[in-house]
Every structure is written in C-alpha cells, then in structure tokens.
Amino acid sequence: MNLNVYRLESQSEFLKLWRMPSFSLPSILFPVFFYLLFGIAMGGSRAAGSTTIATYLMASYGCFGLLGTCMFGFGASLAIEREQGWLTLKRTTPMPPSSLFVAKTVMAMLFGLIILLLLVACGLLSGAVHLTADQWVRFFAISLFSVFPFSVIGLCLGFSVGGKAAPAIANLIYLPLSFASGLWFPIEMMPGFFKKLAPALPPFHLNQLLLGSFGSGDGKTLQHLLFLLVFTLLGYGLVSVLYRRSQAN
Amino acid sequence: MTETIARWQSVNQFYGKHHALKDLDVELKAGQVTALLGPNGAGKTTAIKLILGLLTPSKGSVSLFGKSPHRREARVHIGAMLQAGSVPETLTVREHFQVFRSYYPNPLPLESLLQKTQLESCANQRFGRLSGGQKQRVLFGLALAGNPELLFLDEPTVGMDILSRRQFWQSIQALRNQGKTILVTTHYLEEAQAIADRVIVLDKGQLIADMNPHTLRSQFGRKKVAFRCADLRLDQVESHGQILSHEGDRWQLLCDEPESFLRWALAHFNELTELEIQPLTLEDAYLALTENVEEAV
C-alpha cells in the first residue's frame, strides 16, 4: 500500500504540472530554444577546449533546464499550494510527509529527462555533438543528480515566500543565478567579478562536473562534487527546519 | 456508555495577545452529530485546527481516539473538510480521489466514493472545470476517501446551491445512520437543527452553550414578535422584551409573554401593522444567547 502512495503521488505531481502550459512550455522550450540559437546555430562544431561548442552548451543548457524545473516545479508550486491550503488539508491525512518530497523529486527528474532528450536530439541532428557511450551515461547521470542540490534552492524558496510572489521571485533568482554560474556563456569569457563569484554557486559546480565528463572542465572534479554534496546536505537540514516552522503556524 | 473519540481538555489558544479560545472542555462521543455554531471569529476554526493537529494548543491538550492528533494511527480514522481548501486544478476528480485513497489502510472503493459525492458523471473532469458546488463535493469526497470514523466539516455547504445543500445534508444523514461521528460548523442553522444531536455554541473563544437543539430552543420559550409601528419609543419597548432589531418603524422583539405586550401595544397605538408572531428558531435562540453574553461582559 505504501509504495502505491509514492507512485500515485509522483504520477499526479508530474501530470499536474505537465497539464499547466504556463509551467511546462517555458520550462521545456526555453533551454531548447537557447541551445538551438547559441549552441547550434552560432556555435556548432567550432572548438571549445577539447570539445565542440555544441557539446559544451548542451551541458550548460541541460543544467539551465533542470535548475528551472526545480525553481518553478519545486519552489513556486510549493509556495502556491502552501498558500492555498492544499498542504494543510494533506496534513490532516495519514500521508507520509516524505511522499511530498519524493513526488516532487520524481517530477523534476522526469521534466529534466524530457529537456535532456530534446537537447540531445538537437545536438545529434546538428552533427556537432560526439560523445562516447561512457560520456553519455555520465552526462545523463550527473544532470539528473542535479535535482538534489537544485531542489534545495527551490524548497527554501517554497517554504519562505508567499504563493503570489513566488513565480516572480523564482525568476529573479533563476536568471541571474544561471548567468553568474556560466550557464549562458562560458565562465572563462566573463568579467573577473563573475569568475570570483561563480565558485560560490551550485550550478557552476554542476556545470563543471558535466564539462569534466567531456574532458573540458577545469579538472577539479572532486572539489565540485564535494561542494555539491555539502551544499545538498546542509540545504536539506535548512529545509527540514523551514518545513517544521511552516507546520507550526 | 458511549466512547469518547475526540477531546479538547482545558484548551487555551493565544494568537499573540489575542485570546482565541478560553478553557475549552469538550468531548465528542462516538456516533454523535455535533453542530458547532458561533459568529465569525468565535474560535470555531481554531478549535478544529487544534483537534486536527494543525495548531498546537498554547495551554491544555487535545486528543483523537486517545492519541495525539499528530500520530498516524489517529489520522487514519478521521477525514476533514477545511475552509479555503483549494485543490490543484489540472488533476481530475478520479486522480485526486485515488491519491487520497492511497493514504489510508481501508479506503472507500472509488466507485462508492464517486457515488456518495454524486460525481460519477464528472470523474474524468479536471477540478478546475467543475462548478462551485461540484468542487465543494470533491472536498467532501477527499474527507470521505479513507472511510473515516470521525469527520470534521468546516462550513461544508459554502458555495453550494439549495439543491446541492439538500443532497449534501442527505449524505450526512446517511453517514450518521452508519454510526459515523461528525462535527460540523455551519451558518445554515435550520440545516444544523434538522440533523444535529448536539449544539455547541462558541462566542469570543468561550463555550456558551452545549445542549441538544430542542433544549436550546425551548430554553428560550419566548416568541418572536415582528410589527411596524411609527410612534413606539425604545424605552417603552424595553420592559416588554429583548429587541432583536429596530429599523425605522420596523421592530422585532423577543417576548416571554407576547399576549401581554400586544394587549398593551394595541391599547396605546392605533397604527400597529404587519404583525407576526413566530416561535423561536435556532438562529434566534443563538442570537439571543450571543447577545446576552455581550451584555454581561
């Protein structure tokens, strides 16, 4: 019976947002559109380090897409449901609280997978992306793992702002954070200030991990991984405090 | 002896300096239908949030089936319909019911849930496309999904048309016949009166009455007298009864002995028109009750 809760909850979490064009269309189409423009039309097979621009930016826009899913699917939708009393109603049931987080994590991974598959299809069709089987596996695994650190950002947002302000605030964080983490332009091309700021931002480390798996990162794989693990664990700690605080009032 | 299945024990609730509930002591017995009445801000919703574990009492304690409402073992036996509960709009009625059913060990079969809420024909419709009354019935269905022993319904008929309301109270009657325990807050006093075994009245956070609806009514064995009379003055009327309302020449009084008032009034005033004498409704009794408290304070 219990597994059934997680399955149904995840399924309905995904369907709920999938049927909301104001969420699903921009979440999926923005990264794909940017990739087509900057990655393929403007970059293509030109070299970027030891790989092509099309490959390099496939990683960055994958990262961008997953961050968006977590900011809006986790963050904004949580804030809205909290405000509407939906979560309060669920709290009167014997629902296991973990099912809420499991469902949203599964939802974000499914949306992420759709975005990644579209990016990969564009990359392969353009003929500018060449990866070994091993590199493909790492590309998908690292991208989907990003849901854990990114959902921390979304959850903190969802538990701390009101439903009406949430989508706007999510955008205010999402776009500058993506830019400053080097998801739009390679960090090497950015002014010195951003080079110093980027190592404090989780999407930067995730992007570097992905690039590293193509052989074009900065070679500090362990450092990036460690940063993301510590960030995620500390983040979950903070989220559980925010969750308990939201239950108390 | 019937079993106590929910209890507020010397509960006090503060919101900052505001004393929202004062020494509330109430027990709900198995199989009872209780109507919780009171003006807005009386503490009805606070009392329900406390027993559901959505709030923790500032002082005192609450229990469900002898356990803390935070315990899963207590929650599997209850269902709740809350005010201002909004449901994700892009999922269908069936999808919502299936998720809620999965939370409980012995849920109602989906078909009987759809039937009890009269939503069979819109099972595959998205919540956002339903009418106000249908939406309210979905919320009722979510409360019933786990086949609970104890139901909390906070203003369940808000937004329903007359027909939906009548059908809703029929479903409550059916649940009552099955031996379910129900606590309902409502503004439709006549409906509450028809179904409740017990009426609890809260005012300004205080329990001011706890009795069966007939006692509540007969305790105020007074009659409501309504009429129009232009010349009557306030101080002349006050000795004859409690003034329920007075606008221009329209008066509504509560009189212990309407006959003696009328004898006096007809002797002194010629233009007394549109006279009506009615027995007290639960609503009047309730108004009289809450106003008395106001006077006493």
Side-chain angles (χ1 to χ4, degrees), chain A residues 1-243:
Chain A
M1 169 220 116
N2 240 337
L3 278 179
N4 207 21
V5 176
Y6 292 97
R7 186 179 61 78
L8 282 167
E9 194 84 56
S10 305
Q11 188 182 317
S12 58
E13 189 66 33
F14 177 78
L15 282 176
K16 178 182 82 189
L17 290 168
W18 176 252
R19 290 174 187 162
M20 237 180 256
S22 61
F23 168 79
S24 51
L25 287 182
S27 298
I28 293 172
L29 294 184
F30 273 144
V32 175
F33 173 75
F34 284 139
Y35 179 58
L36 282 173
L37 188 69
F38 297 113
I40 293 177
M42 291 168 67
S45 302
R46 283 172 28 220
S50 59
T51 181
T52 62
I53 290 187
T55 313
Y56 188 103
L57 287 180
M58 183 177 74
S60 302
Y61 285 116
C63 213
F64 176 67
L66 276 146
L67 181 61
T69 309
C70 291
M71 295 295 297
F72 294 94
F74 256 96
S77 80
L78 181 69
I80 291 168
E81 286 170 5
R82 235 163 36 88
E83 188 165 282
Q84 289 180 334
W86 177 232
L87 295 188
T88 311
L89 181 64
K90 287 197 164 199
R91 275 171 55 204
T92 67
T93 70
M95 172 192 83
S98 62
S99 78
L100 189 78
F101 300 101
V102 172
K104 287 197 186 287
T105 304
V106 172
M107 174 280 301
M109 286 193 174
L110 285 175
F111 268 102
L113 197 62
I114 294 171
I115 295 167
L116 294 176
L117 288 173
L118 285 171
L119 292 176
V120 167
C122 296
L124 288 177
L125 287 173
S126 76
V129 171
H130 307 279
L131 291 178
T132 63
D134 181 45
Q135 285 174 322
W136 280 121
V137 170
R138 269 184 286 170
F139 169 69
F140 277 100
I142 297 169
S143 296
L144 292 179
F145 158 80
S146 74
V147 165
F148 296 104
F150 291 171
S151 65
V152 165
I153 308 174
L155 287 168
C156 289
L157 176 88
F159 280 123
S160 47
V161 305
K164 284 182 195 77
I169 294 176
N171 261 319
L172 278 180
I173 300 172
Y174 177 42
L175 299 177
L177 182 61
S178 307
F179 178 78
S181 303
L183 300 186
W184 288 0
F185 303 105
I187 203 80
E188 297 79 28
M189 287 165 56
M190 307 232 291
F193 167 73
F194 287 104
K195 282 191 191 124
K196 286 201 190 99
L197 177 68
L201 308 173
F204 166 77
H205 294 278
L206 210 111
N207 194 29
Q208 291 301 320
L209 269 187
L210 280 170
L211 295 173
S213 74
F214 303 155
S216 359
D218 52 14
K220 300 175 190 158
T221 308
L222 206 64
Q223 280 181 29
H224 298 310
L225 204 58
L226 204 63
F227 178 94
L228 290 171
L229 285 176
V230 171
F231 176 82
T232 306
L233 291 177
L234 287 179
Y236 278 164
L238 177 62
V239 168
S240 68
V241 172
L242 290 174
Y243 175 71

Side-chain angles (χ1 to χ4, degrees), chain A residues 1-2 4-6 8-9 11-13 15-17 19-20 81 83-86 88-96 99 247-249, chain B residues 49 52-56 72 75-76 78 80-82 84-88 90-92 95-96 98-100 102-105 126 139 142:
Chain A
M1 169 220 116
N2 240 337
N4 207 21
V5 176
Y6 292 97
L8 282 167
E9 194 84 56
Q11 188 182 317
S12 58
E13 189 66 33
L15 282 176
K16 178 182 82 189
L17 290 168
R19 290 174 187 162
M20 237 180 256
E81 286 170 5
E83 188 165 282
Q84 289 180 334
W86 177 232
T88 311
L89 181 64
K90 287 197 164 199
R91 275 171 55 204
T92 67
T93 70
M95 172 192 83
S99 78
Q247 295 234 313
N249 46 41
Chain B
K49 282 188 164 175
L52 290 171
L54 298 174
L55 288 173
T56 310
R72 195 175 175 276
R75 288 189 182 176
V76 295
I78 65 160
M81 206 174 154
L82 303 176
S86 180
V87 172
T90 51
L91 292 176
T92 66
E95 286 162 348
H96 277 306
Q98 291 291 38
V99 172
F100 268 63
S102 77
Y103 298 152
Y104 297 87
R126 293 183 189 181
L139 288 167
L142 295 177

Side-chain angles (χ1 to χ4, degrees), chain B residues 1-294:
Chain B
M1 273 291 287
T2 27
E3 191 193 352
T4 295
I5 61 177
R7 171 181 283 160
W8 291 257
Q9 223 167 354
S10 331
V11 170
N12 280 274
Q13 185 67 14
F14 297 90
Y15 296 122
K17 277 184 183 165
H18 177 59
H19 203 165
L21 276 182
K22 296 169 190 163
D23 291 315
L24 183 67
D25 271 298
V26 173
E27 292 181 0
L28 297 184
K29 303 283 187 192
Q32 251 180 5
V33 175
T34 306
L36 178 57
L37 310 178
N40 290 332
K44 303 184 300 274
T45 298
T46 299
I48 288 186
K49 282 188 164 175
L50 284 163
I51 199 80
L52 290 171
L54 298 174
L55 288 173
T56 310
S58 313
K59 269 191 226 155
S61 66
V62 292
S63 65
L64 280 176
F65 299 92
K67 300 184 182 79
S68 151
H70 295 286
R71 297 282 296 275
R72 195 175 175 276
E73 304 91 275
R75 288 189 182 176
V76 295
H77 299 299
I78 65 160
M81 206 174 154
L82 303 176
Q83 276 189 71
S86 180
V87 172
E89 301 209 325
T90 51
L91 292 176
T92 66
V93 174
R94 181 191 304 274
E95 286 162 348
H96 277 306
F97 282 177
Q98 291 291 38
V99 172
F100 268 63
R101 287 180 65 250
S102 77
Y103 298 152
Y104 297 87
N106 301 305
L108 274 183
L110 180 68
E111 292 314 313
S112 87
L113 193 53
L114 287 169
Q115 190 201 334
K116 277 181 203 287
T117 51
Q118 284 136 2
L119 289 165
E120 293 119 315
S121 58
C122 31
N124 295 319
Q125 273 188 45
R126 293 183 189 181
F127 183 80
R129 298 197 182 139
L130 302 176
S131 72
Q134 288 170 329
K135 285 183 176 174
Q136 206 62 12
R137 298 213 297 271
V138 172
L139 288 167
F140 181 50
L142 295 177
L144 286 181
N147 196 12
E149 284 307 306
L150 173 57
L151 270 169
F152 294 97
L153 309 168
D154 198 3
E155 295 288 348
T157 54
V158 166
M160 287 188 186
D161 58 25
I162 295 175
L163 185 67
S164 303
R165 278 220 307 274
R166 190 174 301 158
Q167 285 170 342
F168 177 82
W169 290 112
Q170 280 168 4
S171 330
I172 298 292
Q173 186 68 52
L175 288 167
R176 180 196 190 197
N177 295 342
Q178 286 172 32
K180 305 285 189 193
T181 312
I182 300 168
L183 179 77
V184 58
T185 73
T186 179
H187 276 113
Y188 299 101
L189 298 169
E190 279 171 41
E191 294 167 358
Q193 185 177 359
I195 197 161
D197 302 305
R198 177 181 178 195
V199 174
I200 293 176
V201 184
L202 282 180
D203 190 49
K204 297 192 180 74
Q206 245 164 344
L207 182 81
I208 56 171
D210 181 354
M211 55 189 86
N212 79 47
H214 308 289
T215 317
L216 179 64
R217 213 155 40 131
S218 60
Q219 201 189 7
F220 299 84
R222 301 186 280 184
K223 298 275 192 295
K224 187 160 83 173
V225 183
F227 55 90
R228 297 178 74 152
C229 181
D231 308 326
L232 202 59
R233 284 198 328 269
L234 206 61
D235 57 305
Q236 296 175 307
V237 181
E238 271 170 344
S239 57
H240 293 279
Q242 187 186 344
I243 299 163
L244 280 177
S245 72
H246 170 214
E247 283 164 37
D249 61 348
R250 287 175 188 276
W251 297 82
Q252 281 199 344
L253 304 183
L254 273 184
C255 300
D256 291 325
E257 289 166 37
E259 296 83 359
S260 75
F261 165 73
L262 286 173
R263 225 171 282 131
W264 171 80
L266 290 169
H268 289 80
F269 304 98
N270 292 324
E271 283 102 84
L272 195 140
T273 55
E274 295 181 30
L275 175 67
E276 278 182 61
I277 302 176
Q278 291 167 343
L280 211 59
T281 64
L282 186 58
E283 182 162 18
D284 301 320
Y286 159 71
L287 276 177
L289 205 57
T290 48
E291 273 163 27
N292 279 340
V293 173
E294 224 157 277

